[in-house]
Amino acid sequence: MTTTNIPRGKYHIWTVGCQMNQADSQRIQAILEDLGWEETGMDQANLVVLNTCSVRQAPEEKAHNLLAQLKRVKEKRDDLLVALMGCMIGKQKTIDELSKRYPHIDLFMKVEQADILPRFLEERWTPISGAGCLDIEFMDNEQPAATPVAPAQITPTFATSFNRTGKRTVLPMAIVPKPGERVAHYPTNIPPQAHAKPTAWLPIVLGCNKVCTYCIVPYRRGRERSRPIDELMVEARTLVDKGAKELTLLGQTIEAYGLDLPGQPNLADLMESLSEIEGLKRIRFMTSYPRHMTDDMIRRMAAMPKVCEHLNIPVQAGHNDTLKRMKRGYTIEEYCERIDRVRELWPKASLSTDIIVGFCGETEEEFQTTLDMLAKIRFDVVHVAAYSVRPGTVAARWEDDIPLAEKKRRLHAVEEQQARIALEINQPLVGSIEEVMVEEINTSRGLQQWKGRNRTNKLVFFPAPDDRDIKPGDLVNVRIERATAWSLQGCAVAEPSFT
Ligand code: SF4
């Protein structure tokens, strides 16, 4: 554990959004636990971190609701700090607006700057009575005070707040990185004693250089920055030492990995290095972007035993006019050509994709073309979402002209078609033996089952009898007895063994 003068407190991290956000929260948690802080519920925490998502409207609204609730709680609590991170934080203008609307936010933190979280706590948090916290209900109904709040003395990145009651013991001190302090990279502080789950995330390229017209990510996460291989190797080894057996490499367009690094190592180079790590059993990766994927990369991935046979390659739409308005950067013919190539070079790979229905101006003909394309390609999994406007994007300037009811109809049409296709793909797996990485026990609906994934990323459930010594992280052979569109069910078999 890090030696620190920071009094210990309790934290709560609220996370919504994609795997990158989950990975970021995992990292913040590691830093806090290294400081001796203890995880607790939101109502008891001294530090509440909201890790937000702006890709869709619903999670952003949830964050605003929580911020409003925390504002009321903070008026009564002297020992509560609120930090905001994730996609709701973008350029300085966004931070300024949020800071004005929610002066009780103590810290706006981009994950690249999480290294200075200990300094923030050192300078800003003082427990008023040991490490305890006041017993105030989180969900109170009291209205906020009408008194105007003193303007915060802030630096560009870190906001400070004053308690409305004037009782705060923390210093309204702004924190700025010291000269030479590393803030431009991803924090690599993974404390050695922290425990890793068998399946862990490893962000390898941050940000995105694309300009999809509906997407807020490039505005909020910045341009692509790849992390050097040696830095990633250190982190991967640490995660494996702590118990990780499977690493999922993360990036918005993961095949862009290395384009900004000296010598331009690519994703396959990184995977070859990671494959050398003893104790690491599986490597996964997401999200793919067709234009960065080369034949050589696919060939090499297919030849690496630890790399699992699954790619998530979002297509978003099947009609060229829609793709053009989305500025996806490829035609549907180019996309299909890439899919054909992947299937030729890596026949065992399963494929999933993302679709947006009801994007601005999407005609019935365009939608039907998308449906036909999905029926032709036959993905294993399709993640479908109805378009919602994201303020600040290019598409936000256009008319959101597809009524919600029509968006829902299109969404259900995709779901229904995909359920049929997925069942047809999964059914032939009945009778096969699948290598499953056990993730956790599933006790929902009174069941006692192990839950895991096979190499092609399909969910597999099998009974968890007392007489077999199985634990999360084990690779278990499961004979598949039943298949649905969404999962496989089976029984653990003794032979052959993959462990
Ligand atoms: S590729 Fe497009 S959709 Fe994906 S993160 Fe980048 S801008 Fe957003």
Side-chain angles (χ1 to χ4, degrees), residues 412-471:
H412 291 143
V414 171
E415 284 178 341
E416 270 172 34
Q417 173 176 280
Q418 183 54 30
R420 182 176 49 73
I421 292 170
L423 184 59
E424 287 169 6
I425 291 173
N426 290 346
Q427 204 69 53
L429 293 173
V430 172
S432 68
I433 292 177
E434 299 290 314
E435 180 203 276
V436 176
M437 164 89 58
V438 177
E439 290 177 12
E440 59 185 12
I441 199 108
N442 172 38
T443 52
S444 61
R445 290 178 292 154
L447 296 168
Q448 191 75 7
Q449 292 180 314
W450 285 113
K451 176 185 157 197
R453 285 182 189 269
N454 72 354
R455 288 186 60 93
T456 57
N457 208 36
K458 292 182 192 292
L459 265 178
V460 182
F461 295 93
F462 63 98
D466 295 337
D467 59 341
R468 292 204 54 166
D469 183 22
I470 293 174
K471 56 188 181 315

Side-chain angles (χ1 to χ4, degrees), residues 27-46:
R27 193 160 301 259
I28 300 300
Q29 178 168 24
I31 293 172
L32 288 168
E33 294 202 345
D34 189 41
L35 296 171
W37 280 55
E38 188 190 324
E39 191 174 16
T40 187
M42 196 179 286
D43 56 343
Q44 292 292 304
N46 304 114

Side-chain angles (χ1 to χ4, degrees), residues 20 202-205 207 210 224 226 248-259 266-268 270-271 284-289 292-293 297 301 311-312:
M20 191 64 90
L202 185 62
I204 65 165
V205 50
K210 310 298 172 292
E224 281 161 7
S226 304
T248 301
L249 316 185
L250 294 178
Q252 305 291 348
T253 52
I254 199 150
E255 289 84 4
Y257 175 76
L259 289 173
N266 67 25
L267 182 59
L270 172 64
M271 286 172 165
R284 296 191 185 278
F285 61 104
M286 65 190 299
T287 301
S288 290
Y289 181 73
H292 291 312
M293 216 184 266
M297 233 184 244
M301 285 180 199
L311 294 97
N312 181 48

Side-chain angles (χ1 to χ4, degrees), residues 103-315:
H104 60 293
I105 300 176
D106 298 278
L107 174 65
F108 291 97
M109 180 172 64
K110 294 182 181 174
V111 74
E112 300 94 294
Q113 299 165 325
D115 278 355
I116 47 178
L117 190 57
R119 262 186 60 208
F120 165 76
L121 290 174
E122 193 171 7
E123 295 182 29
R124 294 293 309 276
W125 191 66
T126 309
I128 55 168
S129 56
C133 63
L134 299 180
D135 184 19
I136 292 174
E137 270 196 28
F138 176 65
M139 298 282 289
D140 73 29
N141 292 319
E142 213 174 288
Q143 292 306 303
T147 331
V149 178
Q153 305 300 304
I154 63 170
T155 62
T157 307
F158 297 92
T160 59
S161 67
F162 293 89
N163 183 280
R164 290 173 189 278
T165 62
K167 286 195 294 183
R168 287 187 60 113
T169 51
V170 294
L171 297 172
M173 181 186 290
I175 298 177
V176 287
K178 286 176 182 157
E181 195 160 41
R182 190 172 61 87
V183 293
H185 300 288
Y186 210 60
T188 53
N189 178 11
I190 300 285
Q193 90 290 359
H195 177 70
K197 286 185 183 165
T199 53
W201 310 110
L202 185 62
I204 65 165
V205 50
L206 316 174
C208 181
N209 283 3
K210 310 298 172 292
V211 282
C212 302
T213 51
Y214 54 84
C215 184
I216 195 73
V217 168
Y219 304 96
R220 299 295 163 88
R221 290 193 175 260
R223 295 184 67 76
E224 281 161 7
R225 285 101 67 212
S226 304
R227 300 175 61 201
I229 289 187
D230 52 359
E231 178 180 307
L232 289 167
M233 288 298 288
V234 169
E235 184 168 328
R237 282 204 176 93
T238 311
L239 285 166
V240 172
D241 286 349
K242 289 189 300 167
K245 305 274 192 261
E246 174 183 297
L247 294 179
T248 301
L249 316 185
L250 294 178
Q252 305 291 348
T253 52
I254 199 150
E255 289 84 4
Y257 175 76
L259 289 173
D260 56 330
L261 289 176
Q264 299 200 328
N266 67 25
L267 182 59
D269 296 328
L270 172 64
M271 286 172 165
E272 278 168 2
S273 298
L274 290 169
S275 291
E276 302 291 315
I277 298 177
E278 213 177 310
L280 177 62
K281 293 178 180 172
R282 285 180 170 184
I283 299 169
R284 296 191 185 278
F285 61 104
M286 65 190 299
T287 301
S288 290
Y289 181 73
R291 277 182 44 203
H292 291 312
M293 216 184 266
T294 64
D295 282 5
D296 176 63
M297 233 184 244
I298 301 165
R299 251 189 229 108
R300 287 166 66 195
M301 285 180 199
M304 284 183 242
K306 290 188 182 180
V307 177
C308 289
E309 298 84 4
H310 171 70
L311 294 97
N312 181 48
I313 318 177
V315 60

Side-chain angles (χ1 to χ4, degrees), residues 290-291 329-339:
R291 277 182 44 203
Y330 50 75
T331 63
I332 195 63
E333 291 76 21
E334 287 164 340
Y335 180 89
C336 291
E337 195 267 333
R338 242 338 55 204
I339 294 288

Side-chain angles (χ1 to χ4, degrees), residues 48-60:
V48 173
V49 180
L50 302 182
N51 193 357
T52 59
C53 170
S54 293
V55 172
R56 302 200 200 299
Q57 199 173 343
E60 192 162 326

